[in-house]
Amino acid sequence: MARSQSPSRANAASAAVDGDFTENIIDIDVTSEMEGSFLEYAYSVIYSRALPDARDGLKPVQRRILYMMSDMGLRPDRGHVKSARVVGEVMGKLHPHGDAAIYDAMVRMAQDFSLRLPLIDGHGNFGSLDDGPAAPRYTEARLAAAALTMTDHLDEDVVDFVPNYDNQLTQPDVLPAAFPNLLVNGTTGIAVGMATNMAPHNLVEVIAAARHLIANPDATLEDIMRFVPGPDLPTGGRIVGLDGIRDAYATGRGSFKTRAKVEVEQLTARRTGLVVTELPYMVGPEKVIEKIKDAVNAKKLSGISDVLDLTDRKHGLRLVIEIKNGFNPNAVLQQLYRFTPMEDSFGINNVTLVDGQPQTLGLLQLLQVYVDHRLSVVRRRTAFRLGKKKDRLHLVEGLLIAIVDIDEVIQIIRSSDEASAARERLMSIYDLSEVQANYILELRLRQLTKYSRIELEKEQDELRREIAELEAILASDVLLREVVSGELAEVAEKYGTPRRTVLLESEAVSPTVAAALAAAVPAGKGKAAALPLEIPDDPCWAILSASGQIARTSNQEPLVESGPRSKHDVYRSVVKTTARGEIGAVTSQGRMLRVQVMDMPALPAVSGLPNLAGGVAAKDFITLLKGESLVALVPLDTVLAIGTAQGVVKRVQPEYPLNREDWEIIALKDKDAVVGVDPARDDDVDLVFVTRLAQLLRFSASAVRPQGRTAGGMAGIKLAAGDAVIHFGAVRANDPAAVVVTIAGSNGALPGTAPGTAKVTPFDEYPAKGRATGGVRAHRFLKGEDMLLLGWAGHGPAKASSSAGVARALPQEHGRRDGSGVPLSQPVDAVGASMAWGEGNAGES
């Protein structure tokens, strides 16, 4: 109970009756007072602040902002004004609840990431998903073009106006709303004991559904969902699973899962990353980055090396998540969906005001409320216009009567002592109404010309036609619905945009991920399995093509040619290894670089020769010095044979430093360069030199003792003056399929102008000679030929290609060892082995 009044205080109060004041204390029940006050507060929050009206989809503060900006003339074709000015006008005249609440509502209506169709055109910093807006004194605003459709025709009695908070002004109880704003832009609000959370939708889809409902009042929810399959969020993204959306459309409550739009990209030759271009609704990149860092620090996430925010105004959102080598990007993405806001849930709760009562509505009911509102608006507008047209027609008819006998009308007016007498005489003589008589008395002389009469008669006919049309609309519900439907179609055509959010019935995975998931599920178990996080150390082939592409295969199936020749099908090096292994890359300057196989892009698993179009350029994958080129990929655990342009040969022991990424494997003389490297650890391997002047030397690898990596090698072939080595390799001495390919041409010919002549000869036709000798002739030059453009020895059948990797034809018939070649139709830039048994290097079995 409230504190009661004491006797002494009562006496003092009674004694003060004759004084300056009278004290009156009333006893009340605290419980009743609290209940009443709380109910009043709850009522105010529900009806005046937190919940939107189902008709225009606006809360009171939003409605007042748009109405006041329209009243201030802040149209899209006029300049922006300070936001503080708008806030002040709204607060002073319509919404006395504080400038912060007004500005927050105003900011949200200007954010294209909050609303699907923004209603305010903001100029300045109106915030982002991670940061708040600037103060209202710094920003400017005006109405967006779409907002005009919300406030159009307010001066035509289309809605009721109610008093403002102090009964000094009036404001619209609801806006005309020429499009279903509540569904298009969604809303969120927390009242007392209830809350609303509605997702944005696509304008074109919602209007199509509304038009269908207008034409078919008995339409079902299934009919409507053919037009509105699901929300369309301003930030795009993907909605995974539609069952919750169907529940929300049926009952007004449900939830759905949103995911970021992510692509796996090769960021650099060695680095793979996840590139995020769209995030779930109301999730900002800074929040995602923060959660990623927290999850990494907490050991919940692994496989991530860095996160970069490359978002800008030109390209939009671009969040790059770099993946550590050896980790499966799709498995890391699954972790990100689990532990970060890159996957988020949106709960739909369609609580809205209908006839002043909070109700939870499904999609069909929301559209029906809007359609009924729009029919009422157009009906009232039509009735208002009809009244205006009839009033004007009444005046025009009276004026035409006066113009017919204008001289008599003027005489009546001049002869009258006062205006009231003239009015009475005009009404009596010409049977005019008081309104018509007053209008004639107010006419100007220039309106009494013959031309004015013609205009009046034309206006009369036009008014009668318009009145007939308006009366027909009011008399026919079908015509009224056609008008509403046509206006909605115009709004959709003017402001509609394509859908941004992808709807997925269930979680969609790429074929690669699907195959990996299928492999991860044990046979017969039938349970879902997660992708392995780290790349397994499976056997594979590391490949270097003649066109300079580097890649690895997904398995170690035999590399057997099948089908037509594909691009990049001439291989310079093929090394048997594993996905998490290491190999070496030898350069023309005698350096070897350590290469992690997992860094190499993986090619899809195929039967036969893989297409290296999915690889990366060697120059982008390996850091080369100026003037340096990549010669070959080699294993690190075997003896290598190296040949140089000056005829030096060396077999190097596999004793390489463990703590270095590159080192020297041969000490080269000035102006010398490595031309070939092959594994050669067996004694039954022959080393082969082919020179520019068509000399070929073949000798056993056992003639070259292995040396340390800093040694300079020994004499391999004796070169004539002006001669140089163009090919060095290792070939098995007992390989019956081994061949030698030589292509001759002219030293003075321009590159690409003369294809030259080619010859393919069995390798066993070339006799073995001693090391450091001159070898034997491998090609007889024809007239105009003076050098070999290309030479190669290895396992056949040989294959040829251009520098771009396009297949080229070689002679089918074998020529004599010292014979001439067959003319080529197209230039050949590279020759390689067929890889028929999966043997990329002669020294590997």
Side-chain angles (χ1 to χ4, degrees), residues 64 88 111 122 251 265 267 417 433 467 469 597 679 698 751 781:
R64 291 163 182 167
Q111 294 173 335
T251 66
E265 293 186 9
L267 303 178
D417 294 333
S433 67
I467 289 172
E469 291 178 355
V597 177
R698 167 186 176 185
F781 296 138

Side-chain angles (χ1 to χ4, degrees), residues 116-402:
R116 190 62 177 82
L117 186 63
L119 301 177
I120 290 180
D121 177 15
H123 182 69
N125 178 15
F126 274 78
S128 67
L129 287 166
D130 295 303
D131 298 310
R137 63 182 179 274
Y138 297 121
T139 62
E140 298 177 342
R142 64 185 178 189
L143 289 176
L148 297 182
T149 65
M150 297 289 294
T151 58
D152 272 350
H153 314 302
L154 276 173
D155 57 346
E156 294 184 289
D157 191 35
V158 292
V159 296
D160 294 333
F161 275 69
V162 296
N164 70 335
Y165 65 93
D166 60 1
N167 292 321
Q168 298 294 316
L169 301 170
T170 59
Q171 59 185 333
D173 182 50
V174 66
L175 293 185
F179 67 91
N181 176 62
L182 185 58
L183 281 169
V184 172
N185 281 324
T187 189
T188 181
I190 301 176
V192 178
M194 61 187 68
T196 184
N197 197 35
M198 303 181 67
H201 291 76
N202 185 271
L203 175 70
V204 177
E205 296 175 356
V206 173
I207 286 183
R211 295 185 66 197
H212 180 78
L213 185 60
I214 290 172
N216 304 275
D218 297 329
T220 64
L221 177 61
E222 289 71 21
D223 298 332
I224 298 301
M225 286 190 64
R226 289 193 291 110
F227 300 95
V228 185
D232 186 22
L233 307 175
T235 53
R238 289 177 165 85
I239 293 178
V240 181
L242 305 183
D243 291 339
I245 294 175
R246 295 189 184 96
D247 293 341
Y249 285 172
T251 66
R253 295 179 184 272
S255 64
F256 59 86
K257 184 167 59 176
T258 60
R259 280 186 172 181
K261 181 181 179 182
V262 187
E263 299 292 340
V264 180
E265 293 186 9
Q266 195 71 32
L267 303 178
T268 65
R270 290 175 176 266
R271 184 74 69 184
T272 302
L274 301 172
V275 179
V276 182
T277 54
E278 295 175 4
L279 285 172
Y281 185 44
M282 301 308 293
V283 174
E286 290 186 10
K287 182 179 180 181
V288 173
I289 293 174
E290 179 183 358
K291 292 296 183 181
I292 290 176
K293 291 181 178 178
D294 292 343
V296 170
N297 293 334
K299 308 299 183 182
K300 294 181 180 179
L301 278 177
S302 56
I304 297 176
S305 62
D306 197 6
V307 183
L308 302 175
D309 187 2
L310 304 182
T311 303
D312 58 34
R313 292 185 178 180
K314 182 178 180 180
H315 301 95
L317 176 68
R318 185 174 175 84
L319 193 63
V320 179
I321 304 171
E322 295 186 359
I323 307 300
K324 291 181 180 179
N325 295 330
F327 285 83
N328 189 329
N330 290 294
V332 175
L333 180 58
Q334 286 184 341
Q335 285 190 327
L336 289 169
Y337 284 148
R338 181 181 178 187
F339 296 112
T340 73
M342 285 176 59
E343 178 179 284
D344 200 10
S345 180
F346 188 97
I348 297 177
N349 191 22
N350 295 340
V351 178
T352 181
L353 295 177
V354 181
D355 296 329
Q357 299 295 324
Q359 297 183 20
T360 303
L361 303 181
L363 175 62
L364 183 59
Q365 291 76 25
L366 286 170
L367 278 175
Q368 188 63 62
V369 171
Y370 172 77
V371 168
D372 292 343
H373 168 63
R374 196 60 193 167
L375 289 171
S376 172
V377 166
V378 175
R379 185 183 296 109
R380 292 180 61 165
R381 185 188 68 195
T382 304
F384 179 85
R385 291 177 178 178
L386 178 60
K388 289 291 185 181
K389 298 295 181 184
K390 286 183 176 181
D391 291 343
R392 177 60 183 170
L393 178 61
H394 184 62
L395 295 176
V396 170
E397 289 174 340
L399 190 55
L400 283 171
I401 292 173

Side-chain angles (χ1 to χ4, degrees), residues 483-754:
V483 172
V484 174
S485 180
E487 292 179 353
L488 284 172
E490 292 177 2
V491 173
E493 181 178 0
K494 186 173 183 180
Y495 301 108
T497 55
R499 166 172 281 276
R500 298 175 186 172
T501 302
V502 177
L503 302 177
L504 302 174
E505 186 69 40
S506 59
E507 182 175 348
V509 296
S510 65
T512 303
V513 178
L517 285 171
V521 180
K525 298 292 184 180
K527 297 181 180 180
L531 287 173
L533 183 59
E534 296 189 23
I535 297 175
D537 196 20
D538 295 333
C540 65
W541 299 96
I543 303 173
L544 169 65
S545 76
S547 59
Q549 299 291 309
I550 284 181
R552 63 179 171 88
T553 61
S554 300
N555 51 41
Q556 212 174 70
E557 294 292 327
L559 300 179
V560 181
E561 182 175 10
S562 60
R565 294 182 178 183
S566 61
K567 196 173 183 180
H568 305 306
D569 59 354
V570 174
Y571 300 153
R572 186 184 304 173
S573 300
V574 177
V575 180
K576 181 185 291 186
T577 180
T578 62
R580 303 181 70 85
E582 293 181 339
I583 60 173
V586 180
T587 72
S588 59
Q589 294 188 10
R591 289 195 308 142
M592 177 180 282
L593 297 90
R594 191 186 306 274
V595 176
Q596 303 294 329
V597 177
M598 69 179 66
D599 292 353
M600 304 170 69
L603 301 175
V606 296
S607 177
L609 297 179
N611 191 333
L612 281 178
V616 297
K619 60 183 179 62
D620 296 331
F621 187 81
I622 295 175
T623 303
L624 300 174
L625 304 177
K626 183 177 181 180
E628 191 177 34
S629 61
L630 181 61
V631 175
L633 299 180
V634 295
L636 294 176
D637 58 352
T638 188
V639 176
L640 300 178
I642 305 172
T644 73
Q646 295 182 2
V648 175
V649 66
K650 176 184 179 181
R651 290 176 73 200
V652 58
Q653 294 280 13
E655 299 171 354
Y656 308 125
L658 299 178
N659 56 349
R660 293 177 57 181
E661 294 300 316
D662 66 284
W663 55 86
E664 186 182 61
I665 60 170
I666 184 173
L668 296 175
K669 299 179 181 179
D670 291 342
K671 299 182 180 180
D672 200 2
V674 175
V675 296
V677 182
D678 262 337
R681 64 186 178 191
D682 298 334
D683 292 338
D684 62 346
V685 171
D686 284 350
L687 305 182
V688 182
F689 283 94
V690 180
T691 73
R692 182 186 293 119
L693 297 182
Q695 293 296 115
L696 184 148
L697 176 60
R698 167 186 176 185
F699 58 89
S700 175
S702 59
V704 182
R705 59 179 178 82
Q707 297 176 299
R709 60 183 182 85
T710 58
M714 59 188 69
I717 184 174
K718 183 178 181 181
L719 297 175
D723 201 1
V725 175
I726 60 173
H727 171 77
F728 172 82
V731 181
R732 288 196 175 275
N734 57 356
D735 182 4
V739 296
V740 175
V741 179
T742 52
I743 300 177
S746 173
N747 185 32
L750 295 175
T753 58

